[in-house]
Amino acid sequence: MELLFVVSGGRENMNAVQGSVRASDEYILVSAPNQLGIQFIRQMRERGIPYYAVVNNHYGKKRLEAMGISKIISVNTSDERTWLAPEFPVRKVLLFEDSFTLTCRYIMMCSAWKAERIYVVTKREFTKKTYRALGAKRVIFINNNDISFLESYITCVLKNEQL
């Protein structure tokens, strides 16, 4: 069963949650604007880890839907007034950086949603202090597109431990 309900929004970018949702469920929220993020979502899906992808544009949503990803939150990152929390608790967030500005907005949004743990995966070392100041618990640096190092993160998620 697929459920689509509008949380808030404007004409062009509506904040919406798509997929089956129960308020008691716990999901990992993942921003996957790049190949590394897509690989991570595939691993989570293979392991049966409950997740939602977050996007801020129609192209990103269509790209994920074409891959068979149906649990998507569409947000309008330009308007803080529309950053209403989804109907389920957002506790763990993993943001794969593609844009410094967009990642900052996602961190601010998820912090407003009272996310317990926000992680950012980036190739840029200069962003650490900014991301931490905005609310990211950990900034993970990578030099390539190999996500094998995130295996420990997935294991911790499965055991509900902190990384």
Side-chain angles (χ1 to χ4, degrees):
M1 174 183 189
E2 190 164 285
L3 170 70
L4 176 66
F5 60 94
V6 175
V7 178
S8 173
R11 282 175 270 171
E12 294 180 16
N13 278 332
M14 298 181 76
N15 285 2
V17 177
Q18 179 178 330
S20 301
V21 178
R22 290 182 306 203
S24 61
D25 288 343
E26 182 175 315
Y27 296 89
I28 298 169
L29 189 63
V30 181
S31 167
N34 52 37
Q35 193 58 36
L36 191 62
I38 298 298
Q39 289 176 27
F40 186 76
I41 285 180
R42 284 184 182 137
Q43 282 192 4
M44 291 179 59
R45 196 165 45 178
E46 288 172 10
R47 291 173 175 241
I49 299 172
Y51 69 91
Y52 265 86
V54 62
V55 297
N56 77 327
N57 60 54
H58 184 70
Y59 168 76
K61 182 179 178 191
K62 290 296 179 193
R63 184 175 55 98
L64 293 175
E65 288 174 336
M67 297 174 47
I69 297 170
S70 62
K71 294 186 175 188
I72 301 170
I73 299 176
S74 298
V75 296
N76 178 351
T77 54
S78 301
D79 187 357
E80 291 180 37
R81 295 172 296 168
T82 65
W83 294 355
L84 301 177
E87 296 293 318
F88 57 89
V90 177
R91 291 195 170 83
K92 300 170 190 153
V93 178
L94 190 61
L95 304 172
F96 288 86
E97 180 195 54
D98 193 42
S99 158
F100 175 75
T101 303
L102 180 58
T103 303
C104 288
R105 289 183 181 182
Y106 279 148
I107 293 169
M108 292 186 306
M109 180 182 68
C110 293
S111 293
W113 292 352
K114 307 293 187 224
E116 293 174 6
R117 293 179 252 165
I118 302 171
Y119 300 98
V120 177
V121 178
T122 181
K123 292 182 179 181
R124 302 174 194 169
E125 291 187 37
F126 69 88
T127 59
K128 180 178 181 175
K129 287 183 180 180
T130 302
Y131 290 158
R132 298 283 308 259
L134 290 173
K137 178 177 179 164
R138 178 160 297 163
V139 179
I140 303 166
F141 299 107
I142 58 167
N143 291 325
N144 55 35
N145 285 335
D146 180 15
I147 62 165
S148 59
F149 70 93
L150 289 175
E151 284 291 323
S152 62
Y153 176 78
I154 293 173
T155 302
C156 289
V157 167
L158 289 172
K159 294 180 180 178
N160 205 22
E161 297 173 355
Q162 290 191 16
L163 180 66

